[in-house]
Amino acid sequence: MELVQHLPIDNLVACHSCDLLHEKTALGKGEKAWCSRCGSLLYRTNNNAIEISLALTIASLLLFLFAQLLPFLSIDVDGNKTTIYLISTIDTLSQLDNVLLGIAGALFLVIIPLGVLLLDLLLLSSLYSNKRPLTLFARQLLLLIGRLAPWNMLEIFLLGVLVTIVKLASIAEIALHQGFWAFVALVMINLFVSTTLEPEELWQAIDKH
Amino acid sequence: MAGNRQALTAMQAGLASCHVCGKLQSCKADHHCVRCGSRLYQRKPFSVQRSWAFLITALILYVPANLYPIMNTTSLGVKDEKTIIGGVILLWSMKSYPVAVIIFTASIVIPLLKFLVISLLLFSIWKGHSGKLNQQTRLFRIIEYIGPWSMIDVFVVILLVALIQFGGIATVLPGSAAMAFAGMVITTMLSAISFDTRLLWDSE
């Protein structure tokens, strides 16, 4: 315990995978620091990450609305045509007396992704505009975002859509609509944001206020 | 690369990085993080016990998930129930090889790999002998990343149910395995979230 006094804590970082301490070194734009013992990522830097992420979050929210509310895809079996909307899948599930699957669908397709986007928007816009009262609440927002993040599975759902299309292609005619393409764009942007924005950067931004 | 003159872990230095926000700070018993206010621990609390508990729950759910039908199809009055593996065999016989491989990997192989890797790592912590820790850490990160992809089959069922509701001609209903399978994926994810890779390195 006596070691603590001699160590410059603010200039140290502990590896999240193996706990080894490292001295922080300044990184250039886009560079990454790796643990010398287990090889895990220690930290990375990005310029303007907050501005870029805010812009992309607003774009994602619009795409999310398009994906939910515009026709997603239609299926044609011997002249029986149905067009589905993403939002209507949950309605169909809940009508089938399968409450649990309806809840799972609602959580994974709507509530969690929309929740994360709205929390991101609140947090990033308050950091961007330097609003004091919101920063008090920023810590809570970031904690909640961190807890929800592992359950955001839009890209996995997209692969599920592709598998469904291939499965049905032999028995029916499938047409993809605007909602589907908005969803594809949404997934791409989501993947980009998750590789750009480091939670540590947001914590440091909150600390500065 | 960050400098590493004294090979010292945060725990040996009496420090802890917050398991929620990552802030490095001195760790006194019963403390809260100076930055995010979460409870501060040097290692995730009851990591091994929680990991085992969720993993065993997942293993139990894996049985009905594979034995019961995941999807019930009625086509022109003919009922058909398909288990996960039955669906994969059908896809393979219809020559949809890529889709058969995707479903087989996501629904059968990935869960089994997760059971195997997490239990091996938990045994490795329990026995205290280290082995190749670099590889074990990397293996865990891979397993943690691919875990949620098992949900594909659940999403396919949800979509097919929503798409195919043609009254008398064809209907698809979710089978009893669908919820067991979703529960299995969620509990394996919780097991991975509870696991603390730093425990592997502590014996070094």
Side-chain angles (χ1 to χ4, degrees):
Chain A
M1 286 300 271
E2 56 190 287
L3 279 163
V4 176
Q5 281 81 17
H6 310 297
L7 292 172
I9 295 182
D10 289 334
N11 206 26
L12 290 176
V13 57
C15 172
H16 294 295
S17 285
C18 78
D19 208 35
L20 192 71
L21 287 173
H22 297 75
E23 265 178 66
K24 280 187 199 164
T25 45
L27 295 180
K29 192 184 173 188
E31 283 186 319
K32 293 173 182 172
W34 307 91
C35 174
S36 61
R37 181 165 70 166
C38 74
S40 305
L41 182 67
L42 284 178
Y43 55 92
R44 55 187 170 185
T45 51
N46 274 300
N47 294 334
N48 309 324
I50 289 175
E51 286 86 339
I52 294 170
S53 305
L54 177 59
L56 290 176
T57 302
I58 295 168
S60 299
L61 267 169
L62 289 173
L63 287 168
F64 185 84
L65 286 181
F66 294 154
Q68 295 285 351
L69 303 175
L70 293 176
F72 196 74
L73 52 84
S74 51
I75 168 172
D76 190 336
V77 187
D78 303 327
N80 285 284
K81 198 174 174 183
T82 18
T83 301
I84 63 156
Y85 295 76
L86 210 47
I87 197 94
S88 67
T89 53
I90 292 141
D91 190 40
T92 316
L93 287 172
S94 57
Q95 283 168 14
L96 298 171
D97 302 325
N98 198 319
V99 185
L100 281 174
L101 208 61
I103 292 172
L107 274 177
F108 288 118
L109 298 186
V110 184
I111 298 170
I112 293 174
L114 182 62
V116 171
L117 282 174
L118 288 175
L119 293 170
D120 274 343
L121 180 70
L122 260 175
L123 176 66
L124 291 166
S125 57
S126 75
L127 288 176
Y128 180 72
S129 59
N130 273 331
K131 286 218 174 80
R132 282 242 156 243
L134 266 175
T135 20
L136 284 173
F137 167 64
R139 285 162 214 277
Q140 261 58 47
L141 284 178
L142 192 46
L143 282 176
L144 200 55
I145 292 170
R147 288 210 189 282
L148 287 178
W151 308 100
N152 204 352
M153 301 193 188
L154 288 182
E155 69 274 24
I156 298 164
F157 181 73
L158 179 61
L159 191 57
V161 174
L162 298 178
V163 166
T164 308
I165 292 169
V166 176
K167 265 189 158 181
L168 289 176
S170 56
I171 55 160
E173 227 157 280
I174 312 247
L176 302 170
H177 300 302
Q178 303 95 312
F180 173 80
W181 298 113
F183 191 77
V184 172
L186 172 66
V187 169
M188 302 279 208
I189 292 179
N190 250 352
L191 288 177
F192 179 77
V193 173
S194 65
T195 55
T196 312
L197 193 63
E198 189 81 345
E200 177 64 22
E201 213 153 340
L202 292 175
W203 282 113
Q204 282 174 10
I206 294 175
D207 275 350
K208 271 186 221 148
H209 284 286
Chain B
M1 285 296 254
N4 171 32
R5 267 176 284 131
Q6 327 98 318
L8 195 65
T9 65
M11 184 147 89
Q12 287 160 350
L15 305 175
S17 47
C18 171
H19 68 290
V20 178
C21 78
K23 172 84 176 167
L24 188 67
Q25 54 203 290
S26 68
C27 182
K28 295 161 210 115
D30 228 21
H31 246 245
H32 292 262
C33 172
V34 292
R35 182 157 74 178
C36 74
S38 308
R39 276 289 287 274
L40 197 60
Y41 307 101
Q42 288 181 311
R43 297 292 176 262
K44 290 180 185 171
F46 303 106
S47 163
V48 174
Q49 292 91 324
R50 281 190 194 176
S51 240
W52 269 127
F54 284 124
L55 199 67
I56 292 166
T57 313
L59 252 172
I60 294 169
L61 286 169
Y62 191 68
V63 178
N66 280 290
L67 292 183
Y68 287 109
I70 192 151
M71 212 157 54
N72 303 325
T73 320
T74 315
S75 177
L76 296 168
V78 184
K79 278 191 184 164
D80 185 29
E81 299 188 328
K82 275 274 172 302
T83 57
I84 293 174
I85 196 75
V88 172
I89 292 168
L90 181 71
L91 281 166
W92 189 266
S93 67
M94 286 165 68
K95 297 192 165 42
S96 306
Y97 302 122
V99 180
V101 170
I102 289 176
I103 298 288
F104 183 72
T105 312
S107 307
I108 313 274
V109 179
I110 291 180
L112 283 178
L113 263 180
K114 273 192 102 167
F115 293 141
L116 197 73
V117 169
I118 296 179
S119 49
L120 272 177
L121 295 182
L122 285 168
F123 268 117
S124 167
I125 291 171
W126 181 53
K127 289 270 181 194
H129 65 70
S130 37
K132 289 179 177 152
L133 292 175
N134 270 308
Q135 282 178 11
Q136 291 179 8
T137 309
R138 200 165 309 137
L139 206 58
F140 178 77
R141 292 290 167 228
I142 294 169
I143 285 294
E144 192 185 25
Y145 177 76
I146 61 175
W149 288 90
S150 299
M151 281 300 256
I152 289 177
D153 219 21
V154 176
F155 290 145
V156 171
V157 171
I158 288 179
L159 277 165
L160 285 176
V161 168
L163 271 171
I164 306 188
Q165 295 298 335
F166 292 116
I169 303 168
T171 44
V172 175
L173 289 174
S176 41
M179 271 330 287
F181 191 83
M184 189 275 295
V185 179
I186 290 168
T187 43
T188 49
M189 285 175 70
L190 288 169
S191 175
I193 290 172
S194 314
F195 188 82
D196 194 335
T197 50
R198 289 169 293 196
L199 293 173
L200 289 167
W201 292 87
D202 282 346
S203 57
E204 209 190 49

